[in-house]
Every structure is written in structure tokens, then in C-alpha cells.
């Protein structure tokens, strides 16, 4: 009898728990639907207000700030110039900056990254991004925040930023080159100063060199030539340096490019061939014609491209090789000429 009563009591308890669970789910659904309707209503009010730059006519609340922050992230991608400034002023009034600053401390790294990228657009919150996001334990968040600040021209001192991110040591992402390009736009001389800092790794100096070479902001060819000589034993670094020399086109880098055309590593030869074409190095035409018979396809392809860049003399060399005795070089030259005729 006692066991039967216990079973009844347990059954009743389970039924009660199930009823409470169902009631909880229904309540949660009602709250969720109400919150979704409220969120949609706020979007309808905030969207035109942000686009016009008006102060939003909504009651300050966490939900309103949340909606304003999401709308700001969406709209900032499609507006530029004065319209963007107007948008950010209205977004600040709606509490978007405050909400993004809160998300900088989210437990989810992706949320922190998006918040840092968005918050970098707000001049008054750049200090928060610098202080919080650049000290984030996740490297991707730190680098993303640095890129966002650099694109806005609000990055901290270049040397400090490079060391804080560990570029060239713990941080070896190719995005570091993009960061350097943005830093060159706002402070080319600070980036140039990195080249003369003996404590920085070669990877940082190479990224700085490439960024400066693309911008044409400073003349640093003698140093680049020295780097090319110093990096002769580094097969991964040397091709990038030689390509940078080609973009510079400075006469001081021509000898390093010509040396690269004789290198045993095909990666270096390919980079030197590309650099010779970019630098319009006509003295390299005989060697480029020889490299049309290189055993590496990529070197032959780049040699054909380089000769095309070198004008009449380069085309003449291509025609000579196309009728020559080397079958490999002959095929490469004919393929290059056929491609140019069809282009």
C-alpha cells in the first residue's frame, strides 16, 4: 500500500513538473513574440531617423540601444562621407556606441570583433577600442580592431601598435600587410621609421617596405637593396623583397633583381622575373628570354609576361625565341604571343 501511494505521489509530481515546463515554454514564447514585435517596431522608427540624422523618438532602453547598434553596423557599410557622419551622430544619440562598447566585453570573440570594428567608426569611443580590443586575449580580435582603427586613421602610435600585436613574432597573418597599407596612408614617416628599428623582426620591415613601395610615399630603395642582400638565405622572405623592389622601380634595386634571375630557387627566379617586368628593366631581356625555357612553368609564364611589359624589345625577343631551337622556350614564347594577340 505504501509503495502504491508513493508511485501516485511521484506521478503527480511529474505531471506538475510537466505542466510547469509547458507553462514556462508558452510564457517564453509570448515574451519572445512580444520582444520581436517591439524590436520590429523600433527598427521602423530608428531606420528613417538614423538615415536622416534625426534624434530618435524612442524611450531609452537596452532593446532600443541594441536595435540602434545593429542598424548602425548595417547602414555604415553602405553610406560614405557626410552621410556617414550624420548617421553616426544620430546613432550616438540612440545609444548605439554605448551598446557596442558593452559588446566589447562579450564572452563571444566574434561579437567582440564585430563590436570593435563598428565602434572604431565613433571618434568618441576610439579610446575604448584601443584600451579594450587591442588588449583582447584573442589575436583575431586584436588584429581586427587594429585594422578598423587604421582604416579610420585613428590607430595609436605605429611602433607601439606593431609591438602590441606581436607582428612578425606571435602574429604572422597576411592581414598585417593590409594594416601596414592603412597606416602608411595616415603616417608614412612613422611606418618608414620601422625600417630603421633594429629590434623589430624582418617580417615587420618587409610588410612596411611593401606598403611604402605601393604608396610611393618615401624613397627607401638603398635600404631595400640592403635587405635583399641580407635575406639571401631566407627563401620565403627573399621573393617578397624582390617583388617590392620591382614595385619601387628604383635603380638601386636593379642589381638585386638581376641577381634574383640567376637564383637556384624557382620562387626567387619567378619573383625576379615579375620585378624585372614591373621595373621596366630592359637590360634583363636576354636573361628573360633564356628563362622562357626554365624547367618551372610558373617562371616561364612570368618571363613571357615580363617581356610583354618591356615593349618593342621584349616582343622582338619573344619572336626570336618562338622561332628558336629550344622546344620548351619555343612553346612558352608562342603561347605568350598567342595570348597577347587574342587579348
Amino acid at each position: 500500500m505504501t509503495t502504491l501511494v508513493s508511485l501516485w505521489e511521484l506521478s503527480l509530481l511529474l505531471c506538475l513538473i510537466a505542466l510547469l515546463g509547458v507553462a514556462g515554454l508558452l510564457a517564453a514564447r509570448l515574451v519572445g513574440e512580444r520582444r520581436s514585435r517591439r524590436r520590429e517596431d523600433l527598427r521602423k522608427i530608428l531606420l528613417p531617423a538614423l538615415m536622416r540624422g534625426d534624434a530618435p523618438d524612442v524611450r531609452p532602453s537596452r532593446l532600443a540601444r541594441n536595435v540602434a547598434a545593429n542598424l548602425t553596423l548595417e547602414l555604415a557599410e553602405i553610406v560614405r562621407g557626410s552621410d556617414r557622419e550624420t548617421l553616426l551622430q544620430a546613432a550616438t544619440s540612440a545609444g548605439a556606441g554605448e551598446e557596442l562598447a558593452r559588446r566589447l566585453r562579450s564572452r563571444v570573440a566574434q561579437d567582440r570583433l564585430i563590436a570593435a570594428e563598428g565602434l572604431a567608426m565613433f571618434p568618441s569611443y576610439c579610446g575604448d577600442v584601443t584600451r579594450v580590443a587591442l588588449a583582447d586575449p584573442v589575436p583575431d580580435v586584436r588584429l581586427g580592431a587594429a585594422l578598423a582603427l587604421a582604416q579610420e586613421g585613428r590607430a595609436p602610435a605605429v611602433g607601439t601598435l606593431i609591438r602590441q600585436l606581436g607582428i612578425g613574432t606571435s602574429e604572422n597573418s597576411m592581414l598585417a600587410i593590409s594594416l601596414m597599407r592603412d597606416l602608411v596612408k595616415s603616417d608614412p614617416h612613422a611606418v618608414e621609421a620601422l625600417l630603421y628599428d633594429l629590434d623589430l623582426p624582418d617580417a615587420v620591415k618587409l610588410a612596411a617596405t611593401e606598403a611604402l613601395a605601393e604608396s610611393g610615399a618615401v624613397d627607401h630603395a638603398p635600404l631595400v637593396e640592403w635587405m635583399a642582400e641580407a635575406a639571401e638565405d631566407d627563401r620565403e622572405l627573399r621573393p617578397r623583397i624582390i617583388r617590392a623592389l620591382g614595385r619601387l622601380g628604383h635603380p638601386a634595386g636593379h642589381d638585386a633583381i638581376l641577381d634574383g634571375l640567376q637564383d637556384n630557387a624557382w620562387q626567387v627566379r619567378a619573383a625576379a622575373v615579375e620585378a624585372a617586368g614591373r621595373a621596366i628593366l630592359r637590360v634583363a631581356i636576354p636573361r628573360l628570354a633564356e628563362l622562357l625555357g626554365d624547367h618551372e612553368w610558373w617562371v616561364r609564364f612570368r618571363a613571357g609576361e615580363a617581356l610583354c611589359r618591356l615593349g618593342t624589345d621584349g616582343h622582338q625577343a619573344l619572336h626570336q625565341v618562338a622561332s628558336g631551337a629550344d622546344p620548351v622556350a619555343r612553346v612558352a614564347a608562342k603561347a605568350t604571343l598567342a595570348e597577347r594577340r587574342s587579348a
Side-chain angles (χ1 to χ4, degrees):
M1 186 65 179
T2 305
T3 303
L4 184 60
V5 170
S6 298
L7 288 173
W8 274 106
E9 289 175 349
L10 179 60
S11 300
L12 289 173
L13 178 62
L14 292 175
C15 289
L16 180 60
I17 292 173
L19 286 173
L20 289 174
V22 171
L25 289 173
L26 289 173
R29 181 172 180 177
L30 290 173
V31 171
E33 288 179 350
R34 183 178 178 183
R35 188 177 179 85
S36 295
R37 286 196 297 272
R38 177 60 180 156
R39 183 184 295 275
E40 192 59 33
D41 291 341
L42 285 170
R43 281 183 65 92
K44 291 178 181 176
I45 297 172
L46 286 170
L47 179 59
L50 292 178
M51 292 296 288
R52 291 194 303 267
D54 296 339
D57 185 19
V58 295
R59 183 169 58 86
S61 67
R62 182 173 174 179
L63 182 60
R65 293 194 296 272
N66 188 289
V67 173
N70 291 339
L71 279 172
T72 303
L73 294 174
E74 295 172 17
L75 296 173
E77 295 292 329
I78 57 176
V79 294
R80 292 289 183 273
S82 59
D83 290 340
R84 191 168 182 237
E85 293 179 8
T86 301
L87 165 68
L88 294 177
Q89 288 175 0
T92 302
S93 302
E98 184 181 346
E99 169 63 16
L100 290 173
R102 186 191 67 78
R103 293 182 191 177
L104 276 182
R105 303 181 188 281
S106 168
R107 293 182 179 180
V108 182
Q110 183 66 17
D111 290 345
R112 298 199 300 274
L113 173 59
I114 294 173
E117 291 174 343
L119 207 57
M121 296 184 293
F122 293 80
S124 57
Y125 285 94
C126 283
D128 295 71
V129 180
T130 302
R131 188 175 58 259
V132 180
L134 289 183
D136 196 278
V138 179
D140 288 346
V141 176
R142 296 198 299 270
L143 185 56
L147 282 165
L149 287 170
Q151 286 171 0
E152 299 295 331
R154 296 169 186 145
V158 174
T160 303
L161 181 64
I162 295 300
R163 286 184 170 82
Q164 190 170 2
L165 294 175
I167 291 179
T169 53
S170 59
E171 177 58 70
N172 292 300
S173 169
M174 293 301 289
L175 289 174
I177 298 176
S178 299
L179 172 64
M180 207 67 77
R181 289 179 185 134
D182 289 328
L183 293 173
V184 164
K185 294 176 185 173
S186 57
D187 195 351
H189 294 293
V191 175
E192 185 187 9
L194 298 176
L195 302 174
Y196 303 95
D197 191 333
L198 299 179
D199 295 332
L200 290 175
D202 287 344
V204 172
K205 296 177 181 179
L206 179 59
T209 300
E210 292 188 0
L212 289 166
E214 289 182 5
S215 71
V218 295
D219 181 7
H220 55 275
L223 180 59
V224 176
E225 186 184 11
W226 170 81
M227 290 178 67
E229 294 174 358
E232 282 184 352
D233 295 331
D234 191 332
R235 295 304 177 198
E236 294 184 1
L237 194 62
R238 197 172 180 216
R240 294 175 61 186
I241 293 176
I242 290 178
R243 287 194 188 92
L245 284 169
R247 283 193 290 273
L248 277 172
H250 195 285
H254 289 179
D255 287 345
I257 295 173
L258 293 172
D259 288 344
L261 293 174
Q262 309 291 341
D263 200 279
N264 292 328
W266 72 266
Q267 295 91 341
V268 177
R269 292 199 304 278
V273 165
E274 180 183 344
R278 285 181 176 272
I280 315 297
L281 202 55
R282 288 189 170 81
V283 69
I285 287 178
R287 178 57 181 158
L288 292 174
E290 292 176 6
L291 289 174
L292 286 170
D294 196 276
H295 60 85
E296 283 291 338
W297 175 86
W298 190 242
V299 176
R300 299 197 298 273
F301 175 72
R302 288 297 193 191
E305 283 190 331
L307 287 170
C308 287
R309 282 176 175 265
L310 292 170
T312 304
D313 293 341
H315 281 86
Q316 187 176 359
L318 278 169
H319 283 287
Q320 289 175 351
V321 175
S323 59
D326 186 340
V328 176
R330 191 169 60 236
V331 169
K334 287 182 177 179
T336 303
L337 291 170
E339 183 182 349
R340 291 295 165 179
R341 278 195 293 268
S342 62

